[in-house]
Amino acid sequence: QTIVGLLERVFETYEESRVLVCTSSNSAIDVIALRTQASSYFEQTGHDLNEFGFLFRFGMLNKINPLVKSLKPDSITEYHEASLGSCIVFSTLDSCQPSQLSLSNGGPGLMDFDLVIIDEAAQCSDVQILMAFAHYCRTFVMFGDDSKAVIESQLCARLGYERSFFERYQTIKDQAGDKSTVGLWKQYRMRHKICEFSSKHFYDGMMKTARNAGKNFMINLPPLTFFDVENSEEHLDKNGFGNFKEVEF
């Protein structure tokens, strides 16, 4: 919702903006695309959010959530139209490189974005982030949580890459006295008791909980509850891991 809110504010201020939104996975970028489609702000401004045009989901068709496929062109002609005219382009980092988007063959204007947004940047590799940096852009915004970043490769650690690109870049900016890093310390998802643990052990006690965050007034359960779903197994398909027994429960 934070990214959707940012997109709404951008287009409220600059109606002619062109934005590239990226994440590392198809499932994550599909969630952002779906939430943007559901935005009452964009609907009220008269944009058609059900077909590609204002919104454009780039990527391999078999990797895209069926609910988002309406934002994916069916033909080469429609694809070029979408590349030229779409205001918000959704893509994974692996797919957003200029050669994949075919922007390099369409003239310099196609590589011109007013804003590039990278979500979960702390969990992305250097190469993935540089894919997005290859585009000409006036402003880059990276969302991430360096507390979640885990570099498991000992070789990377020896070469100075034990920290993510996001964390290294943030450190350089802070050391230079650049105050452009913004901390989003209020959370709206989990119950206060759960947040309290995370805040104490990972965030130096800085996290705050919004009123009624994580509460479900239809189901009266304690903050932490375990359910034993018998005879359930995870399975792997093209969309990732799933467990139908747990879904049914």
Side-chain angles (χ1 to χ4, degrees), residues 7-8 10 17 21 42 64 86 113 140 160 169 203:
L7 291 172
E8 292 173 349
V10 166
S17 297
V21 184
F42 289 120
I64 298 176
S86 297
F113 289 99
F140 276 91
Y169 185 75
Y203 301 102

Side-chain angles (χ1 to χ4, degrees), residues 79-113:
Y79 167 79
H80 286 300
E81 290 176 358
S83 299
L84 284 165
S86 297
C87 294
I88 306 177
V89 178
F90 302 96
S91 174
T92 63
L93 286 162
D94 291 336
S95 296
C96 80
Q97 55 183 298
S99 60
Q100 289 284 353
L101 282 170
S102 299
L103 298 179
S104 56
N105 297 324
L110 288 177
M111 294 184 65
D112 185 357
F113 289 99

